[in-house]
Amino acid sequence: MDVFGSFTLLLAFVCAVYAFVGGIAAIITRHPLLVKSTRQAGIATCVLIFIGTFSLEYLLFSDNFSQAYVVSHSNRDLSAFYKIAALWSGQEGSLLFWSFLLAVYVISVLIAYRHKNGELMPYVGVILAGVQIFFLTLNNFVESPFKTLANVSASGVLEPFVRMDGNGLNPLLQYPEMVIHPPNLYSGYTGFTIPFAFALAALLARYPGEKWIHLTRKWTMIAWCFQSIGILLGAHWAYAVLGWGGYWGWDPVENASLLPWLTGTAFLHSVMMQEKRGMMKVWNVWLVFSTFLLCILGTFLTRSGVVSSVHAFANSQIGPWFVSFMLLTLVVCFVAYVKNHDYLKSENQLDSMISRESSFLFNNLLFLVACIAVLSGTLFPVFTEWFTPSRISVGAPFFNKIMIPIGLAILFLTGVGPLLAWRKTSTDSLKRNFTWPLVAGALSAVLAYILDYRNAFSLVCLSLCGFVFWTIVMEFYRGAKVIAARSGMSMMMSAHELAMRNTRRYGGYVVHFGMVLIFIGLAGAAFNTDVQKTMNLGDSMKLGPYTLVLQSADTKPEKNYTAERMIVEVLKGNKQLMMLYPEKRAFQGRDQANGTMVAIYSTLREDVYVVFAGMDPDTNLPVIHAFLNPLVKCIWLGGVWVVMGTLLALMPNRRAALVIAGATQPAASPVAPALTPSVTLRESHD
Amino acid sequence: MTKRRSLFVLALVIAMGVLPLVAQQQQADRVKAIGGKFLCMCGCSQVLTQCNHVGCTMSAGMLKELGQWVNRGDSEATITQAFVQQFGTTVYAEPPKTGFSLIAWAMPVIYFVAGAALVLFVISRWRKRPQAAGVDAAAPVTAAGVKISQEAMERGRAQAARETED
């Protein structure tokens, strides 16, 4: 099976090269058969990558310990669930997984648009094949996952050998979220290849209008959604597994995942400027290019060992390959831009400084500044090594100081944007729109103060959350009121109808609401407290309003590990709330490999987060480290709303009866009066 | 024993009991404050006082040393110097605001100022750009032949756009 897997990847590489070279020939000659055959080659590449990936999974599931990858990342007792995750737990497998996910996107695009956009698709096919060639080069010639173990015999001949068992999966990865976090994050990274391919193709082909944006908008949202889920799941994994009481440590690998998310978010906003007003075309194209390049950069940072991180893969020699690919991509983008920049000329002018357009410009500025600040902070240790004799670390305190003000400014604009009209906002409108949200913001600050959240940044953050929340409520209320008045439906049903009529707009507001919840959660971090105590059985510790009592300890043998558990009772006053079981796990297969399992009692107001931090070397008694983390749950709930909002935005609009300007309005249908809009609707692009 | 004297003794006893606790708390706070300025050297990139992940070989020892120095009454500068001597400049949790490291602090501010200037320049340029020909050629007229003022038309457009667009 290893030879078969290796062969399919090699064949995939050949097909990708054909799709690339043949595609260029097809663009030049415009020969229909050549166009068709290169598209088929693109599809064949993807199918072969699927087969190669399944071959590696088969080797993992069949415990084939003649394979170096299987030995390094699996063992006999590893559950099937984690044998799936072993695919992306190592350098070679995760690169193959990259190719796999990219192939899923590529085959979807090639099939979905096989009869559409005949002018553009050959270019798209060539660009996608180019990206696939790069990853298949790594899969085949640099970091092949199909390497057979061999020993040098006494006669000097290489002889294959089979190990009895493997080393097992890294204990940190043996957690359910680790099975879904990397696929989501990688789906985000790989997904941004599609808008990149369409943007570059449109530029190269000088494809008319904003059609490439309409074609790729959903792909961008899908990639963004996956990236968001991946980041949040990663944060939750760090919170629940690493046992340090936090969820975001500004680690280089965490930062690497945030960079394309920031530019991707900026693009999702600025793209509206191009759709509605024909503006910011150059900016949008470069945002897409940057997002893709940052995805590659993130992958490079994670794998090259250029920055140190607990999340990084083992150091390898693939760094120069990534740097070369990034430089080549940058050169291609730059040449394409220089040759065709006149095609990107903006059509419209700006009427007023106080307009939706301006808010988008500042929104984009802040996202970009955030991105560059995180990037330069992440790479600063490398720069210091180049220019000074010592290396300087850049840790969480630096990023917090830089990013909190930027984050608050972005939150402010999240509320301001929807209150401003396109083109120009009158003073009356400003007064009318801003009064109640500002009142809500002020009341939120007072409420936060009363509830004892007395920290300057947190108060500002919670106040802005109130402000943004009220703008969202107002947007729904105003629209729903019109529909309710015309249809007689309840406000709730009207709000639902409203959202379904313009899913993208109201889906966006739901995403904003999710972000408000996330910011509320982040504001709570200023009030985290913790206590660490060496405890005997029956001892207790105070943690805010809670009392933790160490009731007993036991050992729980499992198939792949043995857990040492502390049984901790949580009381509030005299009321028993629940039992928590923080544990340490000793995994088989890896020498002295330990993992931890945090126990959390979570409420909307706060988390009681208990870690069994090991045995005190002096007393040989268990050390319990307990944290009281306010508002953390809001972050995870916010993530759910972000996903729901994105899914809503991805849905097609429910068509209201369009009243075309100048046309005779038909008599209102007695069956569906609610579907007659109050104003002339512009047809959406869906 | 007079009442005043007994009150004095009582206060002394309370103070003797409470003062060490206060001093202990102050020292713990100081350890937390100073420890927050360094990274754990186990390679986890976490702040020293936050690094407690299972299997960490460094944080306990570093915190113990820090506690000893704080108890001894060493100044923050002395403690910083000791840590830097032991682990090098990588022990700083954030770049020092001196020398080459100052660039790390200055860069985000420069990005923002330069970016904001660029945005303002772009906005002012776009505002000066003439409107497309034909847009203002004639005042808008309704289906009933009634002329609408440009201002009213703009207001209507803005309202329609706000209520119907993203």
Side-chain angles (χ1 to χ4, degrees):
Chain A
M1 186 53 87
D2 54 313
V3 177
F4 176 71
S6 197
F7 180 69
T8 53
L9 287 185
L10 198 61
L11 212 55
F13 176 76
V14 174
C15 285
V17 171
Y18 176 74
F20 183 77
V21 178
I24 293 172
I27 289 166
I28 297 166
T29 61
R30 294 175 181 268
H31 197 292
L33 268 179
L34 200 54
V35 171
K36 195 176 176 185
S37 80
T38 51
R39 189 180 60 237
Q40 307 285 35
I43 294 171
T45 305
C46 299
V47 173
L48 287 163
I49 292 171
F50 296 156
I51 295 171
T53 311
F54 290 125
S55 303
L56 184 60
E57 269 301 350
Y58 176 81
L59 293 172
L60 286 162
F61 271 90
S62 59
D63 293 328
N64 189 329
F65 296 115
S66 68
Q67 291 297 302
Y69 190 81
V70 180
V71 168
S72 299
H73 302 285
S74 181
N75 64 338
R76 289 187 191 281
D77 289 333
L78 192 68
S79 69
F81 192 53
Y82 292 118
K83 277 181 179 163
I84 298 171
L87 174 66
W88 50 82
S89 66
Q91 178 87 280
E92 304 90 341
S94 69
L95 283 170
L96 178 60
F97 191 53
W98 234 98
S99 294
F100 173 82
L101 290 172
L102 183 60
V104 172
Y105 280 110
V106 172
I107 202 167
S108 308
V109 165
L110 292 179
I111 291 174
Y113 299 119
R114 66 190 182 282
H115 300 309
K116 296 174 194 165
N117 315 304
E119 285 286 303
L120 192 65
M121 283 313 289
Y123 288 88
V124 172
V126 166
I127 296 160
L128 291 174
V131 179
Q132 284 186 306
I133 287 171
F134 169 67
F135 280 98
L136 284 167
T137 303
L138 298 178
N139 298 147
N140 279 291
F141 311 115
V142 187
E143 294 283 354
S144 170
F146 300 106
K147 284 181 193 156
T148 307
L149 291 176
N151 263 345
V152 183
S153 68
S155 56
V157 180
L158 273 179
E159 285 180 351
F161 83 97
V162 180
R163 282 263 299 266
M164 290 304 292
D165 203 351
N167 297 335
L169 187 66
N170 183 340
L172 288 175
L173 306 182
Q174 295 192 37
Y175 188 75
E177 268 168 349
M178 260 298 133
V179 182
I180 48 175
H181 154 65
N184 276 291
L185 203 59
Y186 288 11
S187 299
Y189 279 140
T190 49
F192 282 119
T193 311
I194 305 301
F196 166 75
F198 273 92
L200 186 57
L203 190 59
L204 289 167
R206 299 175 72 86
Y207 202 62
E210 275 70 56
K211 201 170 180 190
W212 73 269
I213 282 185
H214 307 151
L215 290 172
T216 58
R217 198 176 60 202
K218 286 191 173 173
W219 295 103
T220 312
M221 277 198 274
I222 289 168
W224 184 88
C225 186
F226 277 125
Q227 189 84 6
S228 308
I229 298 171
I231 290 171
L232 282 164
L233 283 176
H236 193 265
W237 168 80
Y239 186 64
V241 171
L242 294 183
W244 58 281
Y247 37 79
W248 191 263
W250 295 106
D251 179 273
V253 171
E254 293 171 0
N255 295 351
S257 67
L258 190 65
L259 296 172
W261 185 87
L262 288 167
T263 49
T265 311
F267 174 70
L268 283 174
H269 287 91
S270 68
V271 79
M272 283 185 257
M273 293 268 283
Q274 188 166 345
E275 284 178 286
K276 312 297 178 202
R277 306 290 313 274
M279 299 164 103
M280 293 176 80
K281 291 179 179 179
V282 175
W283 181 255
N284 283 328
V285 159
W286 276 102
L287 265 184
V288 174
F289 292 169
S290 309
T291 305
F292 175 71
L293 284 166
L294 287 168
C295 289
I296 302 295
L297 179 76
T299 316
F300 162 69
L301 290 178
T302 319
R303 292 152 196 281
S304 62
V306 71
V307 288
S308 58
S309 162
V310 278
H311 304 289
F313 289 92
N315 292 358
S316 75
Q317 301 305 312
I318 62 170
W321 288 90
F322 273 94
V323 173
S324 308
F325 180 63
M326 277 189 288
L327 287 175
L328 183 67
T329 308
L330 196 62
V331 168
V332 170
C333 293
F334 190 72
V335 170
Y337 170 72
V338 169
K339 287 195 74 167
N340 300 298
H341 69 278
D342 56 317
Y343 153 77
L344 297 171
K345 209 169 177 185
S346 284
E347 291 160 9
N348 272 299
Q349 53 126 36
L350 200 66
D351 300 74
S352 165
M353 178 74 94
I354 303 167
S355 59
R356 182 82 65 97
E357 290 90 329
S358 293
S359 81
F360 276 133
L361 279 173
F362 281 103
N363 149 305
N364 266 245
L365 165 71
L366 290 169
F367 274 114
L368 206 71
V369 169
C371 177
I372 299 175
V374 173
L375 179 63
S376 57
T378 307
L379 294 177
F380 193 73
V382 184
F383 296 148
T384 56
E385 253 186 341
W386 287 351
F387 298 110
T388 66
S390 55
R391 190 183 175 104
I392 300 281
S393 303
V394 180
F398 170 83
F399 289 106
N400 286 338
K401 280 179 190 159
I402 299 293
M403 292 300 288
I404 287 174
I406 298 175
L408 291 178
I410 290 174
L411 183 60
F412 174 67
L413 283 183
T414 308
V416 169
L419 299 178
L420 300 176
W422 288 99
R423 300 171 73 94
K424 193 176 184 178
T425 309
S426 67
T427 318
D428 281 351
S429 164
L430 276 178
K431 277 184 199 161
R432 195 174 54 247
N433 290 341
F434 275 85
T435 307
W436 286 111
L438 285 173
V439 169
L443 287 176
S444 305
V446 171
L447 185 67
Y449 192 83
I450 292 168
L451 291 173
D452 226 14
Y453 294 112
R454 295 176 190 179
N455 167 286
F457 278 123
S458 297
L459 277 176
V460 172
C461 182
L462 293 169
S463 170
L464 286 173
C465 286
F467 170 72
V468 178
F469 173 71
W470 201 252
T471 63
I472 298 165
V473 169
M474 274 173 54
E475 285 297 311
F476 273 93
Y477 175 74
R478 282 180 184 160
K481 202 170 85 173
V482 174
I483 292 177
R486 293 190 145 244
S487 66
M489 285 194 289
S490 69
M491 281 300 279
M492 282 302 286
M493 285 305 294
S494 301
H496 175 255
E497 176 63 29
L498 180 75
M500 296 314 290
R501 280 187 194 179
N502 193 341
T503 54
R504 191 171 162 212
R505 177 182 178 181
Y506 291 95
Y509 289 144
V510 174
V511 172
H512 283 186
F513 174 65
M515 294 311 295
V516 166
L517 286 177
I518 289 173
F519 270 92
I520 291 173
L522 297 176
F527 307 96
N528 289 357
T529 52
D530 67 300
V531 184
Q532 183 163 311
K533 193 176 174 185
T534 301
M535 297 174 85
N536 212 336
L537 295 186
D539 282 357
S540 65
M541 69 158 85
K542 285 289 287 179
L543 182 72
Y546 301 95
T547 306
L548 307 181
V549 183
L550 179 61
Q551 294 289 16
S552 61
D554 65 10
T555 305
K556 197 175 123 204
E558 294 285 342
K559 196 181 172 192
N560 196 32
Y561 63 87
T562 304
E564 204 179 340
R565 296 196 310 179
M566 295 296 124
I567 298 162
V568 179
E569 188 177 16
V570 183
L571 301 131
K572 195 171 187 179
N574 291 324
K575 190 183 168 194
Q576 187 196 346
L577 293 177
M578 73 181 305
M579 301 298 276
L580 293 176
Y581 303 90
E583 59 185 57
K584 267 180 76 176
R585 292 174 176 179
F587 284 85
Q588 293 157 20
R590 286 178 179 255
D591 292 338
Q592 298 175 321
N594 284 323
T596 181
M597 192 53 70
V598 175
I600 304 172
Y601 169 67
S602 186
T603 64
L604 202 56
R605 189 183 164 93
E606 61 211 354
D607 278 12
V608 176
Y609 178 102
V610 183
V611 187
F612 170 31
M615 304 302 281
D616 187 317
D618 300 326
T619 59
N620 203 29
L621 288 173
V623 179
I624 301 294
H625 197 165
F627 298 77
L628 189 64
N629 298 338
L631 304 172
V632 178
K633 204 167 199 173
C634 292
I635 297 176
W636 320 128
L637 288 175
V640 174
W641 280 92
V642 167
V643 174
M644 288 198 309
T646 315
L647 292 177
L648 175 61
L650 281 167
M651 288 168 72
N653 284 345
R654 184 182 289 172
R655 295 282 175 178
L658 288 178
V659 182
I660 308 299
T664 313
Q665 187 171 348
S669 159
V671 181
L675 296 182
T676 308
S678 60
V679 288
T680 304
L681 294 177
R682 223 173 112 176
E683 193 168 357
S684 84
H685 295 293
D686 292 304
Chain B
M1 199 185 278
T2 63
K3 193 178 174 185
R4 185 181 287 182
R5 188 173 292 175
S6 56
L7 273 175
F8 175 75
V9 171
L10 183 68
L12 197 68
V13 169
I14 291 171
M16 281 171 69
V18 170
L19 279 177
L21 288 177
V22 172
Q24 208 176 351
Q25 185 57 43
Q26 278 177 344
Q27 277 182 344
D29 290 345
R30 197 157 168 252
V31 167
K32 213 166 189 175
I34 298 174
K37 294 178 181 176
F38 300 108
L39 288 184
C40 173
M41 287 285 98
C42 71
C44 66
S45 306
Q46 279 178 14
V47 170
L48 177 57
T49 47
Q50 289 177 358
C51 173
N52 70 329
H53 61 83
V54 176
C56 177
T57 52
M58 296 298 295
S59 60
M62 287 177 75
L63 282 169
K64 197 174 172 184
E65 265 185 319
L66 177 61
Q68 284 167 354
W69 292 331
V70 167
N71 287 343
R72 208 166 60 190
D74 288 356
S75 69
E76 191 179 322
T78 314
I79 293 171
T80 303
Q81 202 180 9
F83 267 139
V84 171
Q85 266 179 0
Q86 205 173 336
F87 301 106
T89 47
T90 46
V91 78
Y92 288 123
E94 58 183 32
K97 287 168 186 147
T98 53
F100 185 79
S101 301
L102 202 56
I103 295 173
W105 293 99
M107 276 197 294
V109 180
I110 294 168
Y111 302 145
F112 181 77
V113 172
L118 186 70
V119 167
L120 291 173
F121 171 73
V122 166
I123 289 175
S124 70
R125 243 187 84 180
W126 283 355
R127 286 186 70 190
K128 282 175 193 161
R129 193 178 285 180
Q131 286 202 339
V135 172
D136 289 330
V141 178
T142 64
V146 180
K147 281 197 173 186
I148 306 167
S149 74
Q150 192 63 37
E151 192 190 353
M153 193 64 191
E154 283 303 315
R155 213 168 37 241
R157 273 189 190 143
Q159 189 184 347
R162 214 170 65 74
E163 288 179 2
T164 58
E165 302 290 333
D166 296 292

